[in-house]
Amino acid sequence: MKRLLVRKRILIVDRQKSWRDFSSKNLQREGFSVRSFGVYDHSKLDLYVTKSTPDLVVLGCSTLEPPDQEIIKHILRLRVQLLVVCTSPTWPVLHSLFREGVADVADKSYDPARLLQIVKETLESSSPRSSYEAVLQQGLS
Amino acid sequence: MNRQGRILVVDDLEKWRDEVSASLIRAGFHVDAVDSPATALQRLSDSFYHLMVLDIRMVETDPDNVEGMDFLRSLDERGEAMKIVVLSAHGTKGQMREAFKDYKIADFIQKEEFDNHAFLQSVREVFSESNINLALDVHWEGSSTMHAVINLIIDNERVKRDSVLSEQIAPELDDLLCRLFFQAQSLRVRPMTPGRSGAGVLWVEPFNEEGAGRRVIVKFGDQRKIDLEYRNFKEYVEPFIGGGRTTTVLGLRRTPRLGGIEYSLLGTTSEQLESFESFYRRASVAQISETLDRLFFDTCANWYASPSRLKLHDLTADYEELFNLSLENLGRTLFENLKSVQGKRDLYFKALGDNRSFTNPILALGDQHVRRSTYVCITHGDFNENNILVDENGETWLIDFLRTGRGHILRDVAQLDSVVRLNLLASEEASLDERLKLEETLCKPEKFDDLQHLDVNLLTENAALAKAYSTVLNLRLLAAKLVARNPHNEISEYYAALTYYALNSIRFYSTPTVQREHALLSACLLVDRLGL
């Protein structure tokens, strides 16, 4: 049976409008279905994630200050894959992000090819390789 | 009961190995320590661990940690069964990122900044996040983990009594229960009769602080087969099997070699379920008929009600694939294991007494492909006497979806037909002569419509034989209904299916001789009926 090609859904969360626009435009051009938020609004996020179940949330942060850390924890509790893009994270920051459970951490860049590569790699490496992993990631429906 | 968390420490430096091991042992873990990836792999094939603490710089001459990262890659398929904490001297941010992202490690710790307290905290967090209840009390009723793993097929190897493999797999089954029931305090566990697929089935009643929980069925076996069964369940069962008899999945976990699915049988009015075999033995023909009717036209109705369009279907390819059956191999080994049957092209059965000859079905089939105009739909694929559970009201629930998928619409009914004649008619219940009479009577119809003209009861004083006949006749009438929309009305597609089930039955060498002879005799008559 022929399967329908489903476009991967990506949610971009970043207070910086220029990066939000850049990444949305480039990912849409590559065929992704993209939505973006400019504020860290928990209830808005919850509603969107529950309704649209994005395949990946891309969170842009520059400082990884406490508000950023709080939103990271919140997104991970929603059981979605999270890619954090930030500027040159230190070893302890990187370590703590991975321990929290983010799928990947990458440098914030305005290179469209690099952005696409990171998003594709993250989607690939975070997709479950067995039913056991899928159940662990998404739970039983 | 308090089990220890099992940890394997892998480090080429003795000082680190000893220090880390001693610290973990003091914290209450069971620890084994090795100095190289090769020795670690040996340990992993002999035993199981919840966690590996791995130094990724195995040798001083490997400044880029290539060997350690390669080893990490080779451990990848263990997935959630064994967590990994990496210890690294001179690890880079890139390696840490790769290890977390690509190999899903649990933590990455720098040796330069090693802090024993933080390390132990990380290890304890890994165990806590793994959802394994090592304090679970498991009470086996009339069995044990060691007994329950006998006859499982793991990595294509059958687990035999008192073997090294049984010693290795039994603790994994215990660990699997600790994972599946991590929220329970104790379990009451009773093995159910397994099928022939090399997997096991348990009836489990969990208890927690609030009291007894819902009783469930646990299917366990080779983790790759359980993975496939779960995928089949999601694709073919969950969206279709509905009504009041829904099989649902409550849990799915694995150990390095075992996988387990926790099935809940929703809607059962009684939790005293029995296998179809046990139900068949105690129920009347009328009760069995009613239950089979519900099974095919209620529980599984959605599968058979949405078949493909009528098409020319290669039944030989369908059944050979289903059974992984090679007629060439079957022919080669058949006569070594059935000494009571002689001849080559014509077969003679010593137990029949007369000198009547029968067509050799394997030679008759040869390399011919039987094709018939019929339907394909989702089928269970393994309707045997242990995979169908029946409650006291005669309602049915299904387990075991390893072979579930699209296939010949009459697969399931033909299998149950074969099970009743070849398995449930026990070896001591009928002679080969009586079985021949049964087969000859049942093979008379040339079209599905002719089934209406068969006598409802077989003329015999043998009650078991009469019961088998009446049950099979009811099943064939059900088969006719499943393909009623087929204008060709050809029963030969059903006979072809029965032929392959019969030939497959001959392969089970542990089955009593008379039942295997019956299977062969049935195949002989069926190929004649098919005109092969």
Side-chain angles (χ1 to χ4, degrees), chain A residues 109-123:
Chain A
S109 139
Y110 280 85
D111 174 357
R114 174 74 184 139
L115 172 72
L116 185 65
Q117 184 194 0
I118 291 284
V119 165
K120 281 186 172 169
E121 275 180 15
T122 310
L123 283 169

Side-chain angles (χ1 to χ4, degrees), chain B residues 138-152 161 170 173-174 177 187-194 200-204 220:
Chain B
V138 182
H139 302 280
W140 286 87
E141 288 186 354
S143 189
S144 63
T145 44
M146 193 56 88
H147 186 257
V149 300
I150 302 302
N151 280 328
L152 289 182
R161 200 175 296 279
L173 175 57
D174 185 56
L177 293 174
L187 302 179
R188 198 151 67 95
V189 181
R190 191 171 66 221
M192 296 176 71
T193 314
V201 186
L202 303 173
W203 174 96
V204 179
F220 65 99

Side-chain angles (χ1 to χ4, degrees), chain B residues 229-340:
Chain B
E229 175 160 344
Y230 179 75
R231 280 187 272 131
N232 286 343
F233 176 84
K234 295 301 278 184
E235 187 167 5
Y236 302 117
V237 182
E238 197 173 56
F240 299 102
I241 299 296
R245 285 160 296 287
T246 314
T247 303
T248 54
V249 171
L250 297 182
L252 175 76
R253 297 295 297 270
R254 64 167 288 195
T255 64
R257 281 177 283 195
L258 288 182
I261 302 181
E262 183 189 345
Y263 286 119
S264 171
L265 309 176
L266 294 180
T268 166
T269 52
S270 161
E271 289 184 326
Q272 294 300 317
L273 292 164
E274 60 183 333
S275 66
F276 180 75
E277 175 173 18
S278 153
F279 169 73
Y280 176 86
R281 302 247 176 260
R282 69 162 180 79
S284 67
V285 169
Q287 287 170 321
I288 297 167
S289 170
E290 196 181 327
T291 289
L292 291 175
D293 215 48
R294 285 186 201 157
L295 172 65
F296 284 95
F297 294 106
D298 186 2
T299 308
C300 304
N302 289 339
W303 282 346
Y304 312 119
S306 314
S308 64
R309 287 181 180 180
L310 196 62
K311 63 177 188 178
L312 193 63
H313 187 59
D314 187 336
L315 296 165
T316 303
D318 187 318
Y319 287 99
E320 286 191 350
E321 187 191 345
L322 181 68
F323 302 132
N324 193 16
L325 182 72
S326 149
L327 290 185
E328 197 181 333
N329 290 343
L330 186 62
R332 205 175 300 135
T333 56
L334 172 63
F335 299 108
E336 292 166 15
N337 293 285
L338 260 185
K339 301 281 185 202
S340 54

Side-chain angles (χ1 to χ4, degrees), chain A residues 1 4 14 17 19 22 24-25 34-35 40 48 63 70-71 79 82 92 100 106 111 113 116-117 127 130-131 139-140:
Chain A
M1 195 169 68
L4 288 174
D14 196 329
K17 185 173 184 309
W19 199 82
F22 156 79
S24 298
K25 195 177 76 183
V34 183
R35 180 87 192 268
Y40 291 178
Y48 178 76
T63 53
E70 198 198 326
I71 194 75
R79 290 187 151 187
L82 175 61
E100 293 284 351
D111 174 357
L116 185 65
Q117 184 194 0
S127 59
S130 69
S131 304
L140 287 157

